[in-house]
Amino acid sequence: MRNLFILPLLFFLVQTTKQSKDLDWWETTIFYQIYPRSFMDSDGDGIGDLNGITSKLEYLKELGVGATWLSPMFKSPMYDFGYDIADFYDVHDEYGTMEDFEKLIAKANELDIKIVLDFVPNHGSNESVWFEEALRGHEKYFDYFVWEDGVVDENGILRPPNNWNSVFRKSAWEYREEVGKYYLHQFVIGQPDLNYRNPDVVEEMKNVLKFWLDKGVAGFRVDAISHLFEVDKAKFDGMYPDEPLSGNKIEDPESYDYLDHIYTKDQDETYDMVYQWRDIFDEYKAKDGLTRVMMTEVYASPDVTMRYFGDGEREGAQMPFNFVLITDVDGSSSAAEIKYAIDKFLTFKPIDKLANWVAGNHDNSRVASRFSPELVDGINMLVLLLPGVAVTYMGEEIGMVDGYISWEDTVDPSGCNTDDPINYWTASRDPERTPFQWNAQKNAGFSSADKTWLPVADGYETLNVEVQQATERSHINVYKALARLRTEPAFRHGRYESVAFNSDVLAFKRWHNGETYVAVINFRDEVYNLDLTYFENVTGQLEVIVSSVQSPKSSGDVVEADGVQIEARESIVLKVVQ
Ligand SMILES: *[C@@H]1O[C@H](CO)[C@@H](O)[C@H](O)[C@H]1NC(C)=O
Ligand SMILES: *[C@@H]1O[C@H](CO)[C@@H](O)[C@H](O)[C@H]1NC(C)=O
Ligand SMILES: [Ca+2]
Ligand SMILES: [Ca+2]
């Protein structure tokens, strides 16, 4: 008899667990990007380092962050601040030692924070042993790079093999007398491209992945992946062909955007390599059960971006970065344009894959500067509450702003290569890389040095972690509340619907098993009265769960669904009262 009663109960349990499928660690966490040079300096040389990061891991924990990806901390001559790697198997001395790295991993394990490293597969460094050996004529290493003969013009002058430009402007080819040939560098001169048509390079770079996976990292963010392969020159009589003009209204023939990069970007072989790397990650998972994640950095159209997920048969990256909140919208965008950008990734992504949201990184102007300081909470609401994985660039939780960096202080090659002391700042990435603002003390608590590698941004005396932690209504406290809210089933498993109520206000709903939330973001200074019963099941009373810094509402306040007053630049999350 007893079994007859238990059976329906079992069915019920099976039903509900089926609805809320178990999620893997990376599907629910927040990834926090640390730019090691600017996070925390432990030894007073003005440069952030690994021990500095280790000393601040508890801070990540307090934020509600479960994983961090570190921009490169590998041995490097720093022509591109660590994205030019001289030894893929070692730690850069300014950042510490391998022992320091192992301590970082140990502390992170203690706190259950996953460490994700930056994998920079496209290029090495002109000051690496590999490149030096190549110049000495060591055949194995010579073939690690992409070499080409120059062409002699009508005046008898030796010119680069073709018209390819580097991402940082000017020819992508650099001549080396030692070997009488040009080498390819899609980025700075100090970043010779690796030759992925050489199986030794493919194997070497797989060994790099395994080396760090064996040290305990939980995955990699993959840098500049679309540049990995160049066209197969065998198909062009053994000569790399010129790229066609882009047709963009660009006067400067040395600029990257002057050309359409049909031979140096998004080649089919690149996706296959990503799938091969994923196979390695899955081998590690098969051994110990822990999923290793891959995030790919691609600024491209959605159809190109989606190829990184896999091809239907083979798996690729779990997180091809979704850059719409960086590339498609800014403070001048209407609510409709923001909705359109958000829906883009959700529309194109395969049905069984997760979206991801990122509004800032070390290559792009900060949220407070690109949108407005008053929209910091609203953008964090999008990043943390839209369906999918959240990624936060360090400092966005407190609303750090772009720092002003003079031409004299500019160090980013992207800024320096403009050769333009007036307009350099439009290309420079230094403003978003200024030291992290911990407190109101010297160098914002980042370093005890007299000079830091980049100056601290103005205004740090009031815009810093310590001040915000001590202030009830602050960006950091909104961020923490959002991070907690994100763990609710409605945000983990719930469905999503959005609407632009007018040109200024975007609202979206998340709901699951009878729990319904609505987030409302006003991007402008107009005040609106909204009827949120537009959304199905949003009726009666709504409770304020989170409200932005400048909102007059407090959590616990109750509003009527059919008439919610939204103040200028206010963002709120409401929950339907049962
Ligand atoms: C490496 O390239 C950088 C430019 O990115 C240059 O300044 C430096 O002199 C080069 N080093 C060598 C050893 O060629
Ligand atoms: C509305 O609520 C009902 C009852 O909880 C639920 O079954 C339905 O899925 C909800 N629909 C929407 C669009 O929220
Ligand atoms: Ca240091
Ligand atoms: Ca390449």
Side-chain angles (χ1 to χ4, degrees):
M1 271 309 277
R2 270 176 61 198
N3 284 348
L4 278 180
F5 289 100
I6 289 171
L7 220 56
L9 178 67
L10 277 178
F11 272 121
F12 173 74
L13 285 176
V14 169
Q15 275 288 310
T16 41
T17 43
K18 208 174 160 193
Q19 274 180 16
S20 317
K21 80 172 177 90
D22 283 343
L23 294 172
D24 206 347
W25 69 267
W26 63 271
E27 296 177 288
T28 56
T29 198
I30 301 170
F31 289 86
Y32 185 88
Q33 180 193 355
I34 290 179
Y35 192 73
R37 210 169 176 80
S38 294
F39 193 53
M40 185 65 203
D41 173 19
S42 71
D43 59 1
D45 65 352
I47 297 169
D49 45 54
L50 295 180
N51 288 339
I53 296 171
T54 307
S55 73
K56 293 293 188 184
L57 285 177
E58 261 132 11
Y59 169 72
L60 269 54
K61 198 73 192 170
E62 284 165 31
L63 286 179
V65 161
T68 171
W69 76 268
L70 309 181
S71 287
M73 36 32 103
F74 313 102
K75 189 171 189 288
S76 165
M78 295 285 158
Y79 291 113
D80 189 22
F81 293 99
Y83 284 94
D84 51 324
I85 298 171
D87 186 346
F88 286 85
Y89 301 98
D90 205 357
V91 172
H92 181 60
D93 54 4
E94 286 172 320
Y95 297 160
T97 62
M98 189 60 82
E99 220 183 357
D100 295 334
F101 181 76
E102 284 158 2
K103 276 191 254 163
L104 169 66
I105 289 274
K107 178 78 181 174
N109 282 340
E110 237 172 70
L111 295 169
D112 193 25
I113 292 175
K114 305 282 191 298
I115 302 285
V116 170
L117 294 185
D118 211 321
F119 182 48
V120 188
N122 180 63
H123 43 259
S125 162
N126 62 338
E127 295 181 11
S128 62
V129 171
W130 298 349
F131 196 74
E132 283 160 5
E133 286 298 312
L135 293 180
R136 279 192 206 108
H138 189 156
E139 201 178 332
K140 175 179 159 87
Y141 292 107
F142 183 81
D143 290 340
Y144 267 35
F145 301 96
V146 181
W147 298 99
E148 192 65 291
D149 291 323
V151 288
V152 179
D153 70 10
E154 59 269 26
N155 302 320
I157 294 170
L158 189 66
R159 301 268 182 216
N162 64 24
N163 73 344
W164 294 358
N165 282 342
S166 99
V167 172
F168 293 140
R169 215 172 152 258
K170 303 183 185 170
S171 176
W173 297 99
E174 181 75 3
Y175 186 70
R176 290 307 299 229
E177 231 150 56
E178 296 91 327
V179 291
K181 282 178 188 288
Y182 284 83
Y183 70 86
L184 177 72
H185 59 91
Q186 288 212 40
F187 293 85
V188 299
I189 291 169
Q191 290 167 315
D193 272 51
L194 290 166
N195 174 18
Y196 275 82
R197 296 196 184 274
N198 173 0
D200 286 351
V201 166
V202 171
E203 197 187 315
E204 181 86 70
M205 297 312 280
K206 286 182 178 173
N207 286 337
V208 168
L209 291 174
K210 291 175 191 165
F211 178 84
W212 295 103
L213 288 169
D214 288 340
K215 294 245 173 244
V217 309
F220 292 87
R221 172 265 189 190
V222 182
D223 178 69
I225 182 67
S226 32
H227 302 268
L228 200 69
F229 273 85
E230 290 74 39
V231 74
D232 186 358
K233 68 175 175 178
K235 293 186 182 143
F236 295 86
D237 297 331
M239 297 269 285
Y240 288 116
D242 277 349
E243 288 189 324
L245 304 192
S246 64
N248 295 344
K249 284 208 177 66
I250 292 190
E251 313 268 295
D252 176 7
E254 297 196 300
S255 129
Y256 185 65
D257 293 336
Y258 190 70
L259 302 173
D260 188 7
H261 305 288
I262 57 172
Y263 299 132
T264 54
K265 268 188 95 175
D266 305 325
Q267 306 294 303
D268 284 340
E269 294 90 335
T270 298
Y271 306 99
D272 177 68
M273 191 56 53
V274 166
Y275 307 157
Q276 290 187 37
W277 295 333
R278 173 62 184 267
D279 289 343
I280 295 174
F281 288 20
D282 289 348
E283 284 163 25
Y284 276 78
K285 180 177 181 174
K287 277 187 258 168
D288 63 14
L290 178 74
T291 301
R292 307 312 201 275
V293 291
M294 195 190 320
M295 319 169 178
T296 45
E297 185 210 23
V298 183
Y299 290 88
S301 61
D303 51 325
V304 168
T305 303
M306 298 310 153
R307 291 184 72 180
Y308 289 95
F309 271 125
D311 64 2
E313 275 168 29
R314 302 177 67 194
E315 292 289 323
Q318 292 95 335
M319 295 169 62
F321 272 129
N322 170 16
F323 287 130
V324 293
L325 292 176
I326 292 176
T327 55
D328 291 25
V329 291
D330 61 23
S332 68
S333 307
S334 68
E337 285 166 334
I338 291 169
K339 173 178 160 58
Y340 192 63
I342 291 169
D343 288 349
K344 186 156 101 180
F345 198 93
L346 294 172
T347 306
F348 277 83
K349 80 168 182 62
I351 193 162
D352 59 340
K353 304 293 186 203
L354 264 192
N356 63 81
W357 306 98
V358 50
N361 61 35
H362 63 297
D363 285 338
N364 291 283
S365 170
R366 285 189 173 277
V367 166
S369 302
R370 220 168 62 245
F371 289 88
S372 145
E374 293 161 298
L375 288 172
V376 164
D377 300 324
I379 300 296
N380 281 335
M381 258 172 216
L382 293 177
V383 171
L384 297 185
L385 301 184
L386 287 174
V389 187
V391 185
T392 292
Y393 179 47
M394 64 181 213
E396 299 295 10
E397 73 278 22
I398 55 171
M400 274 178 65
V401 296
D402 290 345
Y404 167 75
I405 311 291
S406 68
W407 170 246
E408 287 69 34
D409 283 339
T410 294
V411 290
D412 177 25
S414 187
C416 299
N417 285 6
T418 60
D419 300 331
D420 184 342
I422 309 291
N423 296 309
Y424 67 95
W425 59 273
T426 58
S428 173
R429 298 165 298 176
D430 292 329
E432 59 265 22
R433 296 176 177 181
T434 58
F436 193 84
Q437 291 159 212
W438 294 102
N439 56 44
Q441 289 158 30
K442 182 179 179 183
N443 299 321
F446 159 72
S447 171
S448 61
D450 287 333
K451 192 174 190 317
T452 54
W453 80 281
L454 277 178
V456 175
D458 288 343
Y460 73 88
E461 296 86 348
T462 49
L463 201 177
N464 63 61
V465 169
E466 200 175 276
V467 163
Q468 292 197 10
Q469 274 173 341
T471 310
E472 201 191 319
R473 297 195 79 101
S474 63
H475 297 312
I476 206 170
N477 285 330
V478 170
Y479 187 93
K480 288 181 188 174
L482 294 171
R484 274 194 302 274
L485 189 56
R486 187 181 155 70
T487 65
E488 292 294 321
F491 296 100
R492 290 205 162 167
H493 309 281
R495 303 192 69 100
Y496 160 80
E497 185 190 348
S498 69
V499 66
F501 269 105
N502 50 51
S503 61
D504 301 344
V505 179
L506 177 76
F508 66 91
K509 175 181 148 183
R510 300 292 315 271
W511 73 98
H512 183 73
N513 276 355
E515 297 221 311
T516 303
Y517 292 86
V518 178
V520 184
I521 302 164
N522 183 356
F523 289 92
R524 294 291 181 290
D525 288 328
E526 293 283 314
V527 178
Y528 291 97
N529 197 282
L530 302 176
D531 182 358
L532 297 181
T533 65
Y534 164 88
F535 290 114
E536 189 180 333
N537 292 348
V538 177
T539 53
Q541 295 193 313
L542 310 175
E543 184 189 338
V544 176
I545 304 295
V546 184
S547 57
S548 61
V549 166
Q550 72 276 26
S551 167
K553 305 181 186 70
S554 300
S555 61
D557 287 359
V558 171
V559 296
E560 299 296 325
D562 59 3
V564 179
Q565 173 137 327
I566 296 292
E567 307 297 332
R569 311 251 177 187
E570 183 184 17
S571 328
I572 44 172
V573 184
L574 305 163
K575 185 180 184 189
V576 177
V577 177
Q578 297 301 308

